[in-house]
Amino acid sequence: DVVLTQSPLSLPVTLGQPASISCRSSQSLVHSDGNTFLNWFHQRPGQSPRRLIYTISNRDSGVPDRFSGSGSGTDFTLKISRVEAEDVGVYYCMQATHWPHTFGGGTKVEIK
Amino acid sequence: EVQLVESGGGLVQPGGSLRLSCTASGLAFRNYWMHWVRQDSGKGLVWVSRINSGGTLTTYADSVKGRFTVSRDNARSTLYLQMNSLRGEDTAVYYCVVGVTAPSGGYWGQGTLVTVSS
């Protein structure tokens, strides 16, 4: 199975400051069709995960533009340009290129 | 507004069975792959199963292969997960997810808790 390693595990951030989460894959996530199915999800306490980003860098509808995704091959990054209070929770990267699809272990974002 | 509503979870003894359902609204259900994902108390997310839009292709995680069966009824916009020979390690919140890679997809249900215990 593809292993996704996220770092850091915990990310204390000051409101209004940027944040960055890394996701590294144990193998290339480039699909045979040319797409790279790397998504990012956010889960607030007590809620279901919500998709933020699909295929590396495409923001879902309603996702603020302070969120951006980048990367290629095996290295990917989620950035929040200015953290807001509503951004707390756990962020997961997830790959859907290979079966079984797999998630990273999560990065917990909290406000300092 | 897209809504996915799971049901069917509960407490079951080891070796028992449960059938989960997920009813979708607000989207063209028949056009999407559908997935089951579970999250245990340690908060790890694990893919369980998926089914293509027509219901002709299914895939399972090794941990549930031979015990779980995914199916769908496009006329009812409903996804199912039949879970047999349940084990303690199957205890988790089960989510249905629609079109995980689709630009118009990525939605999750609210989850249904399955507890396997004697």
Side-chain angles (χ1 to χ4, degrees), chain B residues 91-105:
Chain B
T91 295
V93 174
Y94 285 72
Y95 296 98
C96 62
V97 187
V98 59
V100 69
T101 60
S104 56

Side-chain angles (χ1 to χ4, degrees), chain A residues 14-101:
Chain A
T14 302
L15 287 173
Q17 293 301 301
S20 180
I21 300 170
S22 170
C23 176
R24 290 188 171 174
S25 174
S26 61
Q27 57 185 277
S28 173
L29 298 183
V30 179
H31 193 272
S32 56
D33 68 6
N35 287 305
T36 300
F37 296 113
L38 187 284
N39 300 341
W40 289 94
F41 293 87
H42 176 216
Q43 187 174 32
R44 294 190 179 102
Q47 295 187 13
S48 305
R50 173 198 181 192
R51 195 178 71 179
L52 300 175
I53 302 282
Y54 61 94
T55 52
I56 302 178
S57 59
N58 297 281
R59 264 192 313 274
D60 272 288
S61 176
V63 174
D65 61 8
R66 64 179 181 274
F67 289 92
S68 64
S70 62
S72 64
T74 59
D75 288 337
F76 305 92
T77 303
L78 176 70
K79 291 183 178 178
I80 310 173
S81 59
R82 296 172 305 279
V83 172
E84 298 190 5
E86 65 181 15
D87 299 338
V88 298
V90 182
Y91 290 80
Y92 297 95
C93 59
M94 170 255 156
Q95 67 82 20
T97 295
H98 305 283
W99 183 259
H101 301 334

